[in-house]
Amino acid sequence: MKLIVTGGAGFIGSAVVRKAVADGHHVVNLDCLTYAACLDNLASVAGAPNYVFEKADIRDAEAMARIFATHRPDAVMHLAAESHVDRSIDGPGAFIDTNVRGTYVLLEAARAYWVGQGRPEGFRFHHISTDEVFGTLGETGQFTEETPYAPNSPYSASKAASDHLVRAWGETYGLPYVLTNCSNNYGPFHFPEKLIPVVILKALAGAPIPVYGKGENVRDWLYVEDHADALLTVLARGENHRSYNIGGENEAKNIDIVRKICAILDVRRPKATPYADQIAFVTDRPGHDLRYAIDPTRIRTELGWRPSVTLDEGLERTVDWYLANEPWWRALQDRAGVGERLGVKA
């Protein structure tokens, strides 16, 4: 199968590209290389005969038309997005432009290509989204595919809008699509502005480890390589015009994640005092959702998929990867906003 993967130089996108190439698919990585992209994430596949990189912006209709015509894909996996909630609070316009307008331009390019090819039944537009579109949960309950949308941040609102566009293009124009909403990803190559890499790198630097509010916010953690496997499973076997929630079945409070990482570092890179002594509670993020939790029944029962990596195992793998790949994260720390507290302008 020939795939166009948008955002393939990002965290989740690069995991999908690496997995797809290893599985023998022909992959066109389409990325405009914004601040969060890193081609070093793809060093292991850069020379593969079934891998091509196209530097292009999904908002550029002419470029999208050229890439579809040149590569003639069997499917599109759309991961390109602005994704950091704190940045969306400070600058929501970029999120509307990329996540909403960019998705519209990509959908139109995919539709024109699909129609021009005679509307092949095997074509797929796979839109990769987030559980944040569903809003927040209390202490009980889980998000299902039927949970009403109730986004609470500019980021999640922009992703909700893009989800609705994909569904509308399917219903109005018949464009074959599948849609997935995932829980929080973590693992190797995670850009160093998200919670888990921030904790690791602040700890190693001997700096305060910032925890929003009291650290009581709960997330369902999904190891990124498990997510890539799930996405390719949905692409291959998911039902057209259907959505699938992908969760890690690993709920934890943020403060517990931080303490687990500190405990791993106490063993892997011991120092005179425990790393947990560096934890510093800071003012909470505006509109910070309390809890996310995924009900994975549909993907488990219909497609036979479930995560393979436990939270403790995944965190150990992730810490070990950052300890072994210091040149990778050092090179990213000078990028705009990395290491700064963002999202406090509301």
Side-chain angles (χ1 to χ4, degrees):
M1 185 183 294
K2 179 172 281 189
L3 311 176
I4 287 179
V5 179
T6 73
F11 169 47
I12 301 174
S14 62
V16 171
V17 170
R18 293 191 302 270
K19 170 70 173 166
V21 169
D23 287 352
H25 298 294
H26 291 267
V27 178
V28 180
N29 173 10
L30 193 167
D31 200 300
C32 69
L33 301 182
T34 62
Y35 79 96
C38 182
L39 287 176
D40 289 343
N41 299 3
L42 299 154
S44 63
V45 300
N50 54 330
Y51 171 77
V52 175
F53 173 65
E54 287 272 9
K55 184 178 180 181
D57 192 322
I58 59 170
R59 298 169 297 179
D60 184 339
E62 184 176 334
M64 295 305 99
R66 175 187 61 79
I67 289 169
F68 274 89
T70 300
H71 295 288
R72 301 168 63 88
D74 302 304
V76 178
M77 300 184 74
H78 178 33
L79 295 104
E82 294 283 350
S83 66
H84 189 39
V85 174
D86 287 356
R87 287 181 185 262
S88 82
I89 294 169
D90 288 349
F95 287 71
I96 303 303
D97 199 30
T98 295
N99 299 355
V100 182
R101 191 169 74 85
T103 298
Y104 156 72
V105 171
L106 187 67
L107 280 166
E108 282 290 82
R111 180 168 73 98
Y113 167 77
W114 175 64
V115 170
Q117 294 297 304
R119 302 174 184 263
E121 291 184 4
F123 182 80
R124 280 283 179 87
F125 188 103
H126 182 178
H127 182 59
I128 289 85
S129 189
T130 171
D131 60 356
E132 296 187 43
V133 300
F134 301 123
T136 187
L137 292 165
E139 294 183 359
T140 60
Q142 293 180 309
F143 297 134
T144 72
E145 289 81 0
E146 283 73 42
T147 299
Y149 278 36
N152 290 317
S153 71
Y155 161 62
S156 57
S158 70
K159 289 299 290 184
S162 65
D163 289 7
H164 292 321
L165 287 175
V166 172
R167 284 193 174 94
W169 260 242
E171 292 301 316
T172 301
Y173 304 112
L175 184 71
Y177 78 86
V178 286
L179 194 153
T180 51
N181 298 87
C182 69
S183 58
N184 279 43
N185 280 225
Y186 71 104
F189 300 103
H190 203 175
F191 192 76
E193 67 181 0
K194 303 294 183 76
L195 174 64
I196 287 175
V198 164
V199 173
I200 296 169
L201 301 186
K202 292 290 188 182
L204 292 174
I209 300 170
V211 176
Y212 291 173
K214 296 180 180 179
E216 297 293 313
N217 304 78
V218 176
R219 300 294 182 261
D220 175 17
W221 292 95
L222 174 63
Y223 194 65
V224 70
E225 292 175 5
D226 270 347
H227 188 199
D229 181 60
L231 293 176
L232 288 164
T233 299
V234 172
L235 181 69
R237 297 193 281 113
E239 183 180 329
N240 267 336
H241 292 199
R242 195 156 174 79
S243 66
Y244 296 86
N245 283 355
I246 304 172
E249 300 181 36
N250 286 310
E251 280 190 62
K253 293 180 180 180
N254 286 349
I255 186 60
D256 293 335
I257 292 291
V258 175
R259 287 174 176 150
K260 283 177 180 288
I261 293 170
C262 289
I264 295 167
L265 285 169
D266 285 336
V267 175
R268 299 293 202 273
R269 188 71 64 84
K271 62 185 182 71
T273 58
Y275 285 95
D277 289 353
Q278 296 170 225
I279 294 173
F281 294 97
V282 300
T283 303
D284 206 356
R285 166 195 292 162
H288 197 176
D289 290 336
L290 175 64
R291 176 173 169 262
Y292 305 145
I294 288 282
D295 178 349
T297 300
R298 177 177 289 179
I299 192 171
R300 185 170 63 233
T301 57
E302 293 186 10
L303 305 182
W305 185 90
R306 70 183 311 161
S308 65
V309 179
T310 66
L311 181 58
D312 288 342
E313 179 186 0
L315 288 175
E316 288 184 357
R317 288 190 195 180
T318 303
V319 170
D320 289 343
W321 188 88
Y322 277 87
L323 291 175
N325 289 274
E326 184 171 342
W328 179 88
W329 54 261
R330 286 283 183 198
L332 299 178
Q333 288 191 313
D334 291 335
R335 295 192 180 184
V338 177
E340 300 175 19
R341 174 72 197 273
L342 304 172
V344 293
K345 295 180 180 179

